[in-house]
Every structure is written in C-alpha cells, then in structure tokens.
Amino acid sequence: MIPKRIAFILVLTMLTSIFKAFSKQPPETGATRTTDLSGNRLAFAIVEDFSRDMPARDLVTDLNLSQLNLKANDEAGLLIQRWWDIKETGWFGRELGTVMLDISVREVAANTSQRLQKEDFNIRDKLQFVFMYDEYLRQKYSNMNLAAGLEEYEDNAHFYSAFTLLGDKLLVKHNDYITNGQNWVETGVAGPHGTVHQLLAIPLTDDHFLEITLIFAINRGYPTGHYFLERADRITVPFLETLFVDYAPENPFRGLVGERWHTPSVNALAQEQYDTIVKLFPRPETPEALNQAPE
C-alpha cells in the first residue's frame, strides 16, 4: 500500500504535468471589441486573463475625432489600457514580468524639426507617414527624457532611433506589419529598467493616427528575457492577429493601407531616399583632411 504522503506527491506531480501540457496551448482571446472613431471602426480581441494588481482603463467605445483635443490632454485619445502578468508554466510558475497594452488615437505631428524635409508631412504617402511617425516619437521620448532629467544615452532613459548607418549601409528600424490585409508600421523603443516597447501605427485621417503600444517589462533578477518574451508572445501575438480598422467608405486610407501600401516595403522606400536620410548622420572626415596641417 502506498503511503498517503507519497500518494499525494504522485497525484500532485501528475496534475502538474497535465496542467503544463495544456498550458502549451496559447490562451484564447475573448469576444471582439469595437470602438467607433468618427465612422471608422477599430476591432480587436484580447486575452482576458488580465493582471489584478495593475490599473485598467476600459475600452472607450465611441470617440469623436473632430472634438478631440490632444494638446490640452494627451490622454484624451486613450482607448484602452490593460496589463498582463507573465508567468512560467505550472501552478507554481515563477512570475517573469508584465506586459502593458495601450491603444490610443494620436495627432499627426507637425514637421517642427525639418530633419528630413522642409514641407509638411503628407501621410497618404507611406514613407511620409514613416517620417511623420519618426518626428512624433522623437518629440515624445525626448520630452519624456527631459522631464525625467535624463539624456537618451543614460541607463534609465528611453532610446529611439528610426535609422542607423553601419558603414555606408542604411539600417531602417521601421518595418511593415501586415495583419488582416492592412499595413501597419512597426518599430521599437528601449525603455527604462530594461523595458522594451513594441509600437505599431496606422493612419486614421489626415490629422490622426492609431498607435498600439506594448511594453514588455521583465522582473529584475530573472536571468534571461528569451523565455519571458516567448511567454508574452502568447498574449500579444493573438491580439495583433485580430487588429482591423474598418474605415468609413469615403476614407482614402481604406485603399491605401489595405492595398497600395503593401509594396514597396518601408525599407525599400527608405533606401530610395538614401541620400536624404544619411545627411542625418555626421560623416567622418577623410584621411586627407585629417592629415592636413592646421591653418
């Protein structure tokens, strides 16, 4: 006869194994959620197993873009904010970190820096939308760093860069993210305390765009982020696969993001503007110039 203590351990081990086997299946998303944005309808579904410890902002189901004043209140465009706790598999799985989702309506940024062009942005053009989003992100994260008294190269600052020059090779940090036939623009930001921000944007009107922000925060002391991100993807990827903007019939962006923006890629378009973009980077002096005697 098996002693009670051993029998209990065997049953517990069996149940834990069963739980782990089932936990390998990605969690299911809940019902489709929708919000009306002046006749443009955003639809998506998310995994409903939300964190109980973090604040939640329920979905705004109706937002009039003509009355939206983001200059007075930056959070006026916030549609939903949710958090998830990411854990290891099993009943006693260790907490790995958190993921935050923010969906917001943003105002098209003015071309204040004129880094890439002198003219106003025409976001019906795909690369112009990327340039506009670059301007928006540079302003946003620069202001956040300044408010915190940090420079972008400090450990706890946000670091964002749309383009990098490796020798003479232009590396583009914005990508195409096509889901449900619509072309979003995707990029990333390194945030304070090792956080990683995944950002997706798509135009709504000539004056507004939608932004998806996913912030991945691994718990301190956890040795590697690989498993954390693998577990977090079980929450974020199913959500991203459901995203769809049902534009109003007269909205020109319906045909743009749904078809014409699919090709060429962001990278290909940026390479066509290579000479313009590389001017952002200081060029090293030639050996001949360095060897000349001072005047």
Side-chain angles (χ1 to χ4, degrees):
M1 184 174 180
I2 302 176
K4 289 183 178 179
R5 180 179 295 178
I6 297 177
F8 173 76
I9 293 173
L10 289 174
V11 170
L12 182 60
T13 302
M14 185 186 306
L15 290 174
T16 302
S17 299
I18 293 172
F19 182 85
K20 286 184 177 180
F22 279 106
S23 68
K24 292 180 180 179
Q25 300 298 321
E28 294 184 359
T29 56
T32 298
R33 299 165 181 246
T34 61
T35 181
D36 185 272
L37 306 168
S38 295
N40 308 290
R41 191 170 66 97
L42 169 66
F44 63 93
I46 51 180
V47 176
E48 304 283 352
D49 185 19
F50 306 120
S51 172
R52 298 180 180 179
D53 300 322
M54 304 300 287
R57 297 282 293 270
D58 290 330
L59 180 65
V60 175
T61 58
D62 193 346
L63 186 65
N64 188 332
L65 300 180
S66 65
Q67 297 179 359
L68 189 60
N69 188 350
L70 295 175
K71 290 183 174 64
N73 179 11
D74 185 60
E75 291 194 356
L78 178 61
L79 300 178
I80 189 172
Q81 188 176 84
R82 289 291 190 173
W83 299 76
W84 291 269
D85 297 318
I86 307 302
K87 301 180 180 180
E88 292 177 334
T89 57
W91 284 333
F92 307 109
R94 177 180 176 183
E95 292 191 2
L96 307 177
T98 59
V99 173
M100 188 207 77
L101 165 68
D102 179 307
I103 304 178
S104 292
V105 174
R106 307 295 192 189
E107 193 172 62
V108 168
N111 186 18
T112 55
S113 71
Q114 298 187 349
R115 297 168 65 243
L116 291 160
Q117 63 184 50
K118 301 296 183 183
E119 304 80 14
D120 293 337
F121 297 118
N122 172 20
I123 66 167
R124 298 190 187 188
D125 178 273
K126 183 177 175 180
L127 188 60
Q128 289 276 304
F129 180 71
V130 173
F131 286 174
M132 183 284 300
Y133 194 37
D134 170 62
E135 179 77 15
Y136 169 82
L137 292 175
R138 287 181 60 83
Q139 292 178 20
K140 174 181 178 179
Y141 289 109
S142 294
N143 290 338
M144 290 174 68
N145 287 339
L146 286 172
L150 298 168
E151 299 290 342
E152 65 179 17
Y153 55 80
E154 295 185 54
D155 289 342
N156 291 329
H158 294 86
F159 177 77
Y160 160 75
S161 175
F163 309 102
T164 298
L165 200 61
L166 184 61
D168 289 329
K169 184 177 181 180
L170 178 65
L171 304 179
V172 183
K173 303 297 185 64
H174 287 248
N175 308 302
D176 299 273
Y177 193 102
I178 298 177
T179 182
N180 293 313
Q182 296 183 320
N183 199 148
W184 296 66
V185 170
E186 178 190 32
T187 191
V189 172
H193 309 297
T195 58
V196 177
H197 301 216
Q198 180 183 9
L199 308 171
L200 291 94
I202 197 170
L204 270 177
T205 69
D206 289 326
D207 300 314
H208 301 93
F209 66 97
L210 266 175
E211 183 182 48
I212 310 293
T213 303
L214 290 162
I215 300 179
F216 301 81
I218 189 170
N219 284 347
R220 293 187 179 183
Y222 192 74
T224 175
H226 176 75
Y227 185 59
F228 163 70
L229 293 175
E230 181 182 289
R231 297 290 299 172
D233 280 349
R234 291 158 53 86
I235 299 292
T236 61
V237 172
F239 154 68
L240 294 174
E241 290 176 345
T242 67
L243 281 172
F244 184 73
V245 181
D246 185 10
Y247 290 95
E250 69 279 5
N251 192 327
F253 290 106
R254 171 189 286 269
L256 293 175
V257 304
E259 184 176 354
R260 289 173 56 188
W261 278 21
H262 287 203
T263 56
S265 67
V266 170
N267 180 67
L269 291 170
Q271 299 301 334
E272 292 176 2
Q273 297 296 320
Y274 178 90
D275 290 340
T276 297
I277 296 173
V278 296
K279 291 178 182 178
L280 297 174
F281 302 93
R283 305 297 291 175
E285 295 186 68
T286 63
E288 293 78 10
L290 293 174
N291 292 329
Q292 288 181 2
E295 295 181 359

